[in-house]
Amino acid sequence: MSMEKEIVDLTSPPIQCLTHRDELSNSNRVASNGPNRTNAGSEQPQTPIPYTVFTRGQKRRLRLLLGFATITSPLTATCYFPLLPLLRTHFESSAQAINLTLTIYIIFQALSPAIFGPFSDSIGRRLVFLITLALYALGNLGLALNKSSYAALLVLRALQSLGASAAMSVSYGVVADICIPSERGRMLGPVSMALNLGACVGPVIGGSVAWTSGSYEWVFWSLVIVGIVLWLSVGLFLPETARALVGNGGSDAERYWWEESWSSVLTHWLSTQKGNPKTKNQEGQNPGMSPVSSRKSILQQCRFVNPLACLRVMFHLDTFFALWMQGSFYVVDYAVVAAMPDIFQDIYHFNELQVGLTYIPRGVGIIAGGFCIGKIMDYNYKTVAKKTGWNIDEVAGDDLQHFPIEQARARGSYFLLIISTAVLVGYGWAVTKHAHLAIVLILQFIQGSMGCCFYNTYNALLVDVFPESPSTAAAAASIVRCAMAATGVAILHPLLAALNRG
């Protein structure tokens, strides 16, 4: 028995991964596809159950909400950097003691998705979002009110990270719940773009607030407001989407009260008061519903959640390589961001505010990359489907058991890798030769866009190959990404000292 098989057998319940399906020949793929293929059969196929009842307008609103939620973790992490001198002075602590708060944040940044990602697959996205955002707001409130306790600073920083860092894995689960595979690119692009954008605008926001107010407290008060607004937004507009609980969202017969958005509850109450209660069909939603297994109580659902379930994802060889690819580019991005203050202070003699502004071109590149890669991923999916003779099912979604999803997602990766590597080499040469500032900023723009494209592509692949537990797969990606980033940042300065910036 192989090591991979032993790991899966010893952990219950098993995670279903599409990449470990039975190998099918091309002829078997054609024969097994059924209604997804063009055929001349005389039998009329049954009307397929729609994959989701969410309309395009609802998806656009959820995309905005998920992007806003996902930005919290990197924004909170990076806006803290300009506060380090103020915190050292205020708490009368050494630089090493204050830097420990950074280490604690990274540790809980990895632990939070491992805990809440599997829970969101079991007890629902909405409930986990409300719990984690409440923790996030409370952590920021404590940090804003803490005046003298260094121990409280450490504990509250951990609580802040625990609440902020689950948003990415839960958001990816929502995307998998409401989008068919051929349309996930346009949804994942902006969501992942927000994740990376937070790391760019965080230092600008933190530096600006600290510079204008001269105090760290206003940064945390700003994050309190962000947390409360997000918590209210999720409560008002995000219904439960986990397919294991509500199927395609077409029926609310067995939903618990906390799985309904407050806006829908209010709308239903108002219509009832007017004597004209509306059903889902009257509200314009598709009456079709996917089957849902009998509901368990919330305690029964929690009983079978394994917080370490995401670790099993790493032991599949092919998913390990997908994790490695997206983690590697995250390390490169984090290393570039971490080295920027020294580069612009030592070479170009910028002050703190000017250094913060140099993050903007890279942020614009991430926005452009996130926008473009979403459309490119959907285009690649349709191109591969056309080449393989696959008829895309835009109603019920494609059966990825028989579709070459790895080929569709990874298409063009060599091209992106060549460009990204060339830009990194050019960036190293530019800072070593003290090139004109415009050249350095342009290279940062390109590097940000290429990194975002690569990162989004392989995150989408992970969501696709774990359809039963997308948030668990995203949690595994977060653990790998944070572990690799922490290692990269730890060795960054020794490498710069030994090899120089070029």
Side-chain angles (χ1 to χ4, degrees):
M1 183 178 290
S2 67
M3 180 181 296
E4 177 184 295
K5 183 64 176 175
E6 290 175 2
I7 292 169
V8 173
D9 286 344
L10 290 174
T11 315
S12 179
I15 291 180
Q16 298 181 13
C17 176
L18 291 181
T19 55
H20 296 278
R21 52 199 172 218
D22 295 332
E23 293 296 326
L24 300 174
S25 64
N26 290 334
S27 60
N28 286 338
R29 286 181 187 268
V30 174
S32 63
N33 193 28
N36 280 331
R37 299 282 186 176
T38 304
N39 58 77
S42 59
E43 295 184 1
Q44 283 293 104
Q46 296 181 350
T47 303
I49 297 173
Y51 185 85
T52 181
V53 299
F54 285 89
T55 64
R56 289 189 179 273
Q58 290 172 322
K59 291 178 183 178
R60 283 194 295 267
R61 289 191 291 272
L62 284 181
R63 181 170 57 193
L64 179 63
L65 177 60
L66 295 177
F68 186 29
T70 306
I71 203 174
T72 53
S73 179
L75 175 67
T76 305
T78 55
C79 74
Y80 190 79
F81 294 153
L83 307 181
L84 296 179
L86 295 175
L87 291 170
R88 286 197 296 267
T89 302
H90 182 85
F91 289 95
E92 299 179 351
S93 301
S94 65
Q96 184 177 2
I98 295 300
N99 287 344
L100 182 60
T101 62
L102 299 176
T103 304
I104 286 178
Y105 190 93
I106 294 176
I107 291 173
F108 280 87
Q109 195 175 31
L111 291 178
S112 180
I115 296 171
F116 292 110
F119 266 102
S120 74
D121 287 330
S122 179
I123 67 175
R125 322 290 184 205
R126 174 180 167 82
L127 183 59
V128 169
F129 253 135
L130 291 174
I131 292 172
T132 54
L133 289 174
L135 293 176
Y136 176 68
L138 289 174
N140 286 316
L141 179 62
L143 288 167
L145 295 175
N146 181 35
K147 303 297 183 182
S148 59
S149 175
Y150 173 75
L153 178 65
L154 295 177
V155 173
L156 292 169
R157 184 69 169 159
L159 183 63
Q160 182 192 48
S161 179
L162 188 68
S165 303
M168 187 274 289
S169 61
V170 181
S171 296
Y172 272 57
V174 174
V175 172
D177 293 334
I178 66 175
C179 292
I180 60 176
S182 61
E183 296 180 351
R184 285 177 187 166
R186 71 185 67 173
M187 191 84 167
L188 285 174
V191 172
S192 297
M193 175 191 69
L195 176 69
N196 292 281
L197 182 61
C200 298
V201 301
V204 179
I205 296 175
S208 300
V209 173
W211 184 67
T212 55
S213 66
S215 172
Y216 69 89
E217 298 173 4
W218 285 106
V219 174
F220 295 131
W221 281 117
S222 301
L223 294 179
V224 170
I225 296 173
V226 170
I228 293 175
V229 171
L230 259 178
W231 189 83
L232 292 174
S233 299
V234 168
L236 283 170
F237 303 115
L238 179 66
E240 183 53 63
T241 64
R243 301 183 67 82
L245 303 181
V246 298
N248 66 355
S251 173
D252 60 348
E254 293 188 72
R255 289 192 182 187
Y256 294 116
W257 60 268
W258 59 79
E259 293 174 346
E260 293 286 352
S261 66
W262 299 336
S263 61
S264 65
V265 172
L266 179 61
T267 301
H268 180 74
W269 181 80
L270 290 175
S271 62
T272 303
Q273 292 296 108
K274 294 178 181 179
N276 184 30
K278 293 183 179 181
T279 64
K280 283 188 179 292
N281 292 352
Q282 291 173 319
E283 291 171 0
Q285 292 186 329
N286 196 315
M289 57 172 289
S290 58
V292 181
S293 58
S294 59
R295 296 295 301 272
K296 300 180 178 66
S297 69
I298 190 68
L299 293 179
Q300 288 175 320
Q301 293 170 14
C302 293
R303 188 180 306 167
F304 295 103
V305 174
N306 181 3
L308 300 179
C310 58
L311 298 180
R312 291 179 306 200
V313 175
M314 306 175 193
F315 292 98
H316 297 300
L317 182 61
D318 41 9
T319 52
F320 171 80
F321 284 118
L323 290 168
W324 176 264
M325 292 298 290
Q326 61 94 22
S328 297
F329 274 83
Y330 189 80
V331 171
V332 171
D333 281 348
Y334 220 91
V336 169
V337 170
M340 283 174 61
D342 290 337
I343 290 174
F344 287 103
Q345 286 179 344
D346 296 344
I347 298 177
Y348 298 98
H349 308 294
F350 281 7
N351 59 35
E352 287 76 7
L353 181 60
Q354 290 172 322
V355 169
L357 294 176
T358 60
Y359 287 84
I360 294 178
R362 184 172 173 275
V364 175
I366 290 176
I367 294 175
F371 176 79
C372 294
I373 195 58
K375 297 183 179 297
I376 292 173
M377 280 194 290
D378 289 346
Y379 172 79
N380 288 341
Y381 189 102
K382 294 175 182 178
T383 300
V384 171
K386 184 177 181 180
K387 287 183 178 180
T388 56
W390 184 277
N391 188 21
I392 296 176
D393 189 344
E394 296 185 354
V395 178
D398 296 321
D399 181 7
L400 299 184
Q401 292 266 356
H402 309 297
F403 181 78
I405 186 63
E406 299 88 351
Q407 180 183 350
R409 295 304 187 207
R411 187 173 182 267
S413 292
Y414 286 118
F415 177 73
L416 293 175
L417 182 61
I418 291 172
I419 294 180
S420 181
T421 303
V423 168
L424 282 174
V425 172
Y427 184 77
W429 171 85
V431 298
T432 301
K433 298 297 183 180
H434 298 190
H436 191 276
L437 177 63
I439 297 176
V440 177
L441 296 180
I442 290 172
L443 291 173
Q444 284 187 2
F445 170 88
I446 300 173
Q447 189 275 330
S449 62
M450 292 296 102
C452 185
C453 289
F454 227 105
Y455 177 79
N456 290 356
T457 296
Y458 285 91
N459 264 336
L461 178 59
L462 286 171
V463 171
D464 288 330
V465 299
F466 288 93
E468 301 298 327
S469 50
S471 288
T472 302
S478 179
I479 292 176
V480 172
R481 183 178 68 248
C482 291
M484 294 178 67
T487 304
V489 172
I491 65 174
L492 175 63
H493 288 288
L495 284 176
L496 290 176
L499 302 176
N500 295 323
R501 296 190 177 97

